[in-house]
Amino acid sequence: MTKTFPKGFLWGGATAANQIEGAYNEGGRGLATSDFARLITDEIRETEGAFDEHVPHNAASAEMVADMKKNPEKWALPKRRGIGFYHTYKEDIALFAEMGFKVFRLSISWSRIFPNGDDDTPNEEGLAFYDKVFDECHKHGIEPMVTLCHFDTPLHLAEKYGGFLSRHTVDAFVHYVETVLKRYKGKVKYWLTFNEINNVLSNPFTSSGLIFDGAPTANTCNPYLGHWQEKFQAVHNQMVASALAVIKCHEIDPEAKMGNMLCRLENYAESTKPEDQLQVLFEDHFNWFFTDVQCKGKYPYYMKRFFDENAITIAMEENDLEVLQQGTVDFITISYYMTYVMRFKGEKVPKPTGRLVSDIKNPNLEMSGWGWPIDPIGFRITLNHIYDRYQLPIFISENGLGAIDQADANGYVEDDYRIDYMKRHIEQMGEAITDGVDIFGYAWWGPIDLISSGTSEMKKRYGMIYVDLDDYGNGTAKRTRKKSFYYYKQVIESNGENLENNS
Ligand code: P53
């Protein structure tokens, strides 16, 4: 490989408040949608059918939320517990520093700052917590990169206003953003608006605060498949909210930069049939749509036909289009886990699949234990496609492997499979840089074991640091360095030059 990673390349790791903090009812925090994401057990997989074969969905319907409130003891809700980062942040950040992190991506829990999402005044205890976290990062020379909303809309806004279906939620979001931008001015240089903004299609509850009636149904990849009108309206409002956040950021702290975040990138045709390739085009459009608006500042031409022929009408306020144009992002970030396979579905006007994982297998790729195809070359392809389309600096805000780890008596894990995944993806990122793609950093998803987003499992581990907790919160919560900890340290120390797994 001929690559050299640029000097000052931001190596690090990424997390989200709802998957690490716990302390869901401490420090004046209000409830968030993530507090209602149930653990997907093997029993649920068997009895309710495979929502998405390997990634059943943990969305909650109105009935489920009501019951979770009334009878919390009946439910396993691991995101309320996280891995205790609210209390262990010093120790955890010190471990990141030991690996040599230059950047730590984390999110602010909106309901820690505004318990209902739309309160008049912020909760000082919540603000003070993140002051301490950011100070701790800087003490170790780590730059925080902060996501404003990572799958945890305040529950009050979801229940009372239908989340981002309502402009009230947009106003509340902008007030929250203004508050944190002012408070952390000078401490946070890199901001992200919404995590995986395209996840509204598969994850409307946690992603956008949309609550629908009825239990999730079995044997469909997406319990709430359909609802296109609501989903596209909500995401229009989120894109306006995102643009307003960017505008505020530039006003309040001209030194700071704000980016976006997209997942689910590369689609391959199953065959050389033109029809399959057409399906790729359709599916690509449902992905590019979000970043086209956020990076280019206007609705792309191809959405008109989809909206028209599906009778979707987007309610816009007078200056929305102007706001979208003014509030384009400074940089683009992506999460990259896998690629997808497309087969023609015979529709003249396509619908998004809304799937988290492809239902058609790619026979050329190995898969993780959760059925996620592992595709390092797809990473290079994706990075080139994005740069070609937007010509904006790219940050990899997530990449990682969820696996079951066998810890020895001391909590040590020999995770060569994780090292192998990391090595192959970093190599391809290096190739993309050599291709000329402007990439300024890479954050491994879940550098410390955390609660899975899709299934709320603890046993699906991404970390280079083992956390002694099981799916139900049993264990000592002790942190132990895995083999990959030392590997990533070596990668960072050599600025990506030494990728050999020698030990
Ligand atoms: P988990 C699905 C597919 C790709 C990325 O996911 C996804 C999801 C949502 O489950 O989300 C991102 O934990 C997300 C993180 C999440 C990570 O990928 O389900 O931004 O919050 O933890 C990995 O294995």
Side-chain angles (χ1 to χ4, degrees):
M1 185 168 54
T2 48
K3 63 95 206 87
T4 331
F5 285 90
K7 219 172 142 234
F9 190 78
L10 294 175
W11 298 97
T15 61
N18 74 87
Q19 294 171 261
I20 59 170
E21 283 181 10
Y24 83 104
N25 55 2
E26 289 178 52
R29 181 183 175 285
L31 292 171
T33 50
S34 47
D35 298 322
F36 296 83
R38 64 182 173 158
L39 171 70
I40 302 298
T41 58
D42 290 342
E43 196 194 333
I44 290 177
R45 285 186 170 94
E46 274 159 33
T47 56
E48 296 187 13
F51 298 152
D52 196 355
E53 203 166 353
H54 297 282
V55 188
H57 209 278
N58 61 7
S61 61
E63 291 85 339
M64 285 162 77
V65 171
D67 196 49
M68 285 168 180
K69 278 183 170 171
K70 221 169 102 198
N71 306 304
E73 69 292 337
K74 258 176 55 188
W75 299 85
L77 301 168
K79 287 175 185 166
R80 295 183 174 202
R81 200 171 48 233
I83 54 161
F85 178 84
Y86 187 71
H87 296 290
T88 58
Y89 68 92
K90 280 192 184 166
E91 174 194 342
D92 295 340
I93 293 170
L95 284 165
F96 300 155
E98 195 183 317
M99 271 188 276
F101 276 26
K102 314 285 179 226
V103 67
F104 172 37
R105 175 179 174 233
L106 70 164
S107 73
I108 294 181
S109 150
W110 177 355
S111 59
R112 219 176 254 302
I113 311 298
F114 291 99
N116 294 298
D118 60 355
D119 314 67
D120 291 335
T121 48
N123 167 33
E124 176 53 36
E125 237 183 306
L127 287 168
F129 169 66
Y130 294 103
D131 263 321
K132 288 188 283 181
V133 171
F134 301 148
D135 290 346
E136 200 62 24
C137 290
H138 288 300
K139 198 173 103 188
H140 292 286
I142 298 174
E143 203 63 66
M145 180 178 283
V146 180
T147 318
L148 290 159
C149 189
H150 191 130
F151 295 169
D152 59 356
T153 308
L155 187 72
H156 168 75
L157 296 177
E159 286 194 305
K160 185 147 178 220
Y161 299 96
F164 277 95
L165 260 184
S166 159
R167 294 297 284 227
H168 177 79
T169 301
V170 175
D171 295 343
F173 178 77
V174 174
H175 182 218
Y176 152 65
V177 172
E178 240 182 312
T179 307
V180 295
L181 280 170
K182 285 184 182 153
R183 174 77 172 217
Y184 306 121
K185 182 175 172 173
K187 281 190 192 182
V188 178
K189 266 209 302 228
Y190 298 104
W191 295 93
L192 304 180
T193 55
F194 292 98
N195 184 62
E196 295 187 342
I197 186 152
N198 52 327
N199 233 312
V200 62
L201 301 177
S202 47
N203 229 342
F205 173 62
T206 42
S207 201
S208 309
L210 304 187
I211 304 182
F212 299 113
D213 292 334
T217 51
N219 294 320
T220 150
C221 65
N222 181 347
Y224 303 120
L225 198 66
H227 295 284
W228 305 120
Q229 170 66 44
E230 290 93 334
K231 288 175 181 174
F232 281 97
Q233 180 64 59
V235 88
H236 169 76
N237 294 344
Q238 279 182 280
M239 292 190 298
V240 170
S242 169
L244 288 166
V246 174
I247 294 168
K248 289 273 175 227
C249 174
H250 294 162
E251 272 167 25
I252 294 170
D253 188 356
E255 302 285 298
K257 293 195 184 323
M258 201 171 265
N260 56 358
M261 159 53 154
L262 183 79
C263 95
R264 200 195 187 298
L265 298 138
E266 218 46 52
N267 300 299
Y268 299 147
E270 187 187 31
S271 76
T272 48
K273 283 185 207 148
E275 287 84 354
D276 287 347
Q277 191 58 38
L278 184 66
Q279 196 72 41
V280 170
L281 179 79
F282 291 157
E283 192 65 16
D284 279 352
H285 280 168
F286 289 121
N287 231 42
W288 294 129
F289 163 57
F290 305 89
T291 35
D292 279 354
V293 175
Q294 291 184 309
C295 300
K296 296 180 174 178
K298 57 177 195 215
Y299 267 69
Y301 75 90
Y302 51 78
M303 291 307 282
K304 186 173 182 309
R305 183 171 182 189
F306 169 71
F307 288 153
D308 285 352
E309 297 191 19
N310 288 292
I312 294 170
T313 321
I314 307 293
M316 294 198 194
E317 290 194 358
E318 215 185 304
N319 58 351
D320 278 4
L321 294 176
E322 209 177 298
V323 167
L324 292 176
Q325 204 166 11
Q326 281 172 12
T328 55
V329 289
D330 301 313
F331 62 99
I332 177 165
T333 86
I334 58 160
S335 61
Y336 179 83
Y337 292 93
M338 58 189 140
T339 47
Y340 299 78
V341 180
M342 293 296 131
R343 181 188 300 153
F344 188 53
K345 288 197 275 177
E347 295 166 325
K348 208 166 85 185
V349 183
K351 308 260 193 315
T353 59
R355 297 188 68 92
L356 294 175
V357 181
S358 194
D359 53 343
I360 305 163
K361 304 281 169 267
N362 185 335
N364 306 296
L365 299 175
E366 300 155 45
M367 291 195 290
S368 81
W370 273 259
W372 295 21
I374 299 172
D375 186 359
I377 292 176
F379 192 25
R380 175 179 176 186
I381 298 171
T382 279
L383 289 165
N384 273 276
H385 279 165
I386 293 172
Y387 193 57
D388 191 24
R389 197 170 182 102
Y390 302 115
Q391 309 272 306
L392 281 172
I394 302 172
F395 181 88
I396 289 77
S397 48
E398 290 181 25
N399 172 233
L401 176 72
I404 291 183
D405 288 338
Q406 294 302 336
D408 70 13
N410 301 315
Y412 179 73
V413 180
E414 208 160 306
D415 52 348
D416 289 289
Y417 40 93
R418 192 169 285 109
I419 294 173
D420 181 60
Y421 181 103
M422 192 182 287
K423 176 175 187 285
R424 288 159 64 206
H425 283 80
I426 293 175
E427 271 167 4
Q428 293 301 322
M429 173 169 62
E431 293 295 347
I433 290 174
T434 311
D435 292 335
V437 179
D438 179 3
I439 304 171
F440 68 98
Y442 171 88
W444 177 262
W445 173 255
I448 183 164
D449 293 343
L450 39 67
I451 308 288
S452 143
S453 174
T455 56
S456 295
E457 289 164 296
M458 188 67 210
K459 68 169 176 289
K460 186 181 190 186
R461 295 172 185 275
Y462 285 84
M464 299 171 277
I465 300 163
Y466 186 79
V467 177
D468 178 29
L469 284 174
D470 71 9
D471 283 348
Y472 296 90
N474 304 309
T476 62
K478 182 171 168 267
R479 276 60 169 154
T480 308
R481 296 162 189 79
K482 301 183 196 175
K483 186 174 177 184
S484 54
F485 180 100
Y486 302 99
Y487 176 75
Y488 198 40
K489 185 170 188 287
Q490 161 200 308
V491 170
I492 299 177
E493 244 164 32
S494 66
N495 197 28
E497 294 297 321
N498 185 0
L499 296 178
E500 287 321 303
N501 178 12
N502 297 318
S503 49

